Amino acid sequence: MDELDRLIINELQGDLPVCGRPYLAAATLLGIGEDELIARLASLLERRILTRVGPLFQIERMGGAFTLAALHAPPERFDAVAEILGAMPQVAHNYAREHHLNMWFVLATEKPEEIQVVIERIAHETDCEVFNFPKSREYFVEMKLQA
């Protein structure tokens, strides 16, 4: 990673312009061309220095819902359960934890009432009890990391 890559990462966290050509606007602010910015972002993604470039949405403001959920996947079935979750469009991501509830995941649905339906589907398809941990309070933590 060179200094320009660092500058791109540092400057674009939370500040990608909202316009018809956001990469052109950002590139102009960085003093480079749009094609170079896009190529550098693609390279950062390919090398797994970045895992995604894109917006964060307030899903509730759009009429949807999300929740944090967890289950206990028996060790011998862990990969199979993870594969079931990974194939579901409502599962934003899942990850392993060293705890009895060893698989945690985020569910996002278009309507709040769909959360319970998806939880029941997961329980049925995985044969695992699913625990729902909806947020009780929202906090805004803006975290920007310097590259």
Side-chain angles (χ1 to χ4, degrees):
M1 201 167 66
D2 64 15
E3 288 305 312
L4 183 52
D5 286 338
R6 285 182 174 78
L7 179 65
I8 290 167
I9 292 169
N10 293 338
E11 293 300 316
L12 295 187
Q13 291 183 61
D15 295 321
L16 192 61
V18 178
C19 62
R21 291 186 65 190
Y23 295 105
L24 175 60
T28 300
L29 292 172
L30 293 165
I32 61 176
E34 180 182 27
D35 290 341
E36 182 176 6
L37 175 58
I38 291 169
R40 283 182 172 266
L41 288 171
S43 173
L44 290 165
L45 289 165
E46 182 180 303
R47 292 180 286 152
R48 305 290 296 162
I49 292 168
L50 297 179
T51 57
R52 90 183 267 286
V53 174
L56 294 174
F57 296 100
Q58 291 289 335
I59 194 167
E60 292 98 342
R61 292 183 186 175
M62 297 169 58
F66 72 93
T67 194
L68 178 64
L71 56 78
H72 171 74
E76 67 277 6
R77 294 184 44 237
F78 190 90
D79 290 342
V81 171
E83 191 172 312
I84 291 168
L85 291 180
M88 299 182 77
Q90 299 90 348
V91 176
H93 56 274
N94 65 357
Y95 40 94
R97 287 290 181 252
E98 292 182 16
H99 182 273
H100 177 72
L101 297 177
N102 58 354
M103 186 175 296
W104 289 74
F105 48 99
V106 173
L107 294 178
T109 60
E110 291 183 15
K111 298 177 184 168
E113 60 271 15
E114 294 173 343
I115 291 286
Q116 189 57 39
V117 172
V118 174
I119 286 173
E120 290 170 9
R121 179 176 161 216
I122 291 169
H124 176 75
E125 290 186 20
T126 64
D127 198 29
C128 298
E129 183 177 6
V130 178
F131 296 87
N132 184 11
F133 299 101
K135 71 178 175 183
S136 58
R137 191 168 172 191
E138 185 166 332
Y139 299 90
F140 177 74
V141 179
E142 183 175 25
M143 184 173 94
K144 293 184 178 184
L145 304 174
Q146 293 298 306

